[in-house]
Amino acid sequence: MSDIAIVGGGVIGLAIASRLVDRGADVTVFDGGDEGAWHVAAGMLAPGGESEHEDPRLIRLFERSAELWPGFAAGLGVDVGYDDTGTLGLAMTADDVAERSRLWTGQQLPLLRPSQLRELEPALSPRVRLGALARAERQVDPRKVVAALRDRLGSRIVAKRVDSLSDIEARTVVVAAGCGTAPLTGLPVRPVKGQVLRLRGEPGLLRHVLDAAVDGREVYLVPRADGEIVVGATQEERTDRLITAGGVHELLRAALDLVPALAEFELTETTVGHRPGSPDNAPLLGRLDERVIVAAGHFRNGILLTPVTAELIADLVLTGEADPTLADFSPRRF
Ligand code: GLY
């Protein structure tokens, strides 16, 4: 048995394990076999936050992780779809403009008129009224990131579902089990359902990630270099895995209103996942007791927060010292 066990073979658990291995530690990852939220996630890296209500301490954590992303992606040694073209925020109606303007003003982004927007993205609907380019926002393909981490860790990943932490013999246990963290630790991590679509067509229709308000509906479109466009996402306080007619309709309607040419794309995947939410929607990072450390509850920002989580948790495991940042995200705060 290794000194250190990681419970959870999703992107967070694998990234922590990889960081620990880089630093010479003996690690086993227990992967329960369920595809985590990473499998559905579009991979938007939005350090400015997705709402004007985001806690400044969380925004600082986002920014710190966004700074780590280029090095983290390069360190994986393969193409993981890291792209820094930027995100175009968009608003369709007057109400959408009012709602999005507050966020853009808070982020100090210059506003773009429809003609400027269509210079950047010619396929946009002429109905889009206002936008803003967030150059600091990036994207990555989470499925490629997980594949790269799995390759690096190889036989250190063991296919085993852990039902109780007392079944594990390791000196230190890191619980990075996403929504599965709650039954293992009693911590308040709840599943927040998201339905996500994947379309495929001619590459190059879109250049930027689009993050839009369309008649009061939120939608994002994440274009990959190979012609895939990820369309997300619903946000539902539900635990089921149903892909609903209403969910798919809502996403397709908003996507096609925004970019009418997508009507010709193939609908290649309809997927559902559960974001691990916490009561304040900030992650739970740090020591739970002598032996157990938690890295969970990343909610809508698991991919963005992967590098900083790996760094902070690996430090805590190896030195026993908690970075001061962790005080704001203690799993014992609830
Ligand atoms: N970060 C996007 C989402 O959770 O849908």
Side-chain angles (χ1 to χ4, degrees), residues 42 195-197 218-222 230-234 251 275 300:
Q195 301 183 54
V196 175
L197 312 177
E218 304 287 326
V219 67
Y220 51 80
L221 273 60
V222 180
V230 184
V231 182
T234 66
L251 294 173
R275 308 169 181 93
R300 293 180 65 101

Side-chain angles (χ1 to χ4, degrees), residues 104-297:
W104 296 332
T105 307
Q107 294 173 342
Q108 297 177 325
L109 297 177
L111 302 183
L112 300 174
R113 294 188 307 278
S115 59
Q116 295 171 301
L117 292 170
R118 277 199 303 284
E119 264 172 41
L120 293 171
E121 286 294 353
L124 275 184
S125 160
R127 288 181 52 221
V128 177
R129 289 191 184 211
L130 198 67
L133 178 60
R135 287 190 192 279
E137 298 196 1
R138 314 273 191 249
Q139 66 145 309
V140 69
D141 185 338
R143 294 180 183 181
K144 289 186 175 168
V145 174
V146 165
L149 288 165
R150 282 179 173 164
D151 277 356
R152 283 167 75 81
L153 290 163
S155 61
R156 293 185 175 91
I157 305 172
V158 173
K160 178 178 157 61
R161 190 189 148 88
V162 174
D163 291 319
S164 165
L165 299 185
S166 57
D167 296 343
I168 299 178
E169 285 166 20
R171 188 175 46 84
T172 301
V173 179
V174 179
V175 182
C179 295
T181 300
L184 288 170
T185 59
L187 289 168
V189 179
R190 74 182 196 290
V192 182
K193 179 179 172 183
Q195 301 183 54
V196 175
L197 312 177
R198 280 171 166 78
L199 310 179
R200 187 171 288 278
E202 202 53 43
L205 179 72
L206 298 176
R207 301 169 195 154
H208 302 80
V209 172
L210 305 184
D211 180 11
V214 182
D215 289 326
R217 288 166 277 134
E218 304 287 326
V219 67
Y220 51 80
L221 273 60
V222 180
R224 309 271 194 233
D226 64 359
E228 180 178 84
I229 296 183
V230 184
V231 182
T234 66
Q235 183 166 317
E236 306 160 69
E237 293 286 341
R238 298 178 66 100
T239 55
D240 66 76
R241 298 193 59 83
L242 294 180
I243 294 168
T244 61
V248 173
H249 175 71
E250 180 190 320
L251 294 173
L252 282 181
R253 191 166 60 150
L256 270 59
D257 279 355
L258 202 60
V259 182
L262 285 177
E264 300 304 322
F265 273 44
E266 183 185 359
L267 174 60
T268 52
E269 267 190 57
T270 52
T271 48
V272 62
H274 291 93
R275 308 169 181 93
S278 71
D280 58 8
N281 289 327
L284 287 71
L285 305 173
R287 193 170 288 288
L288 188 60
D289 61 36
E290 282 279 283
R291 189 170 89 108
V292 177
I293 289 171
V294 175

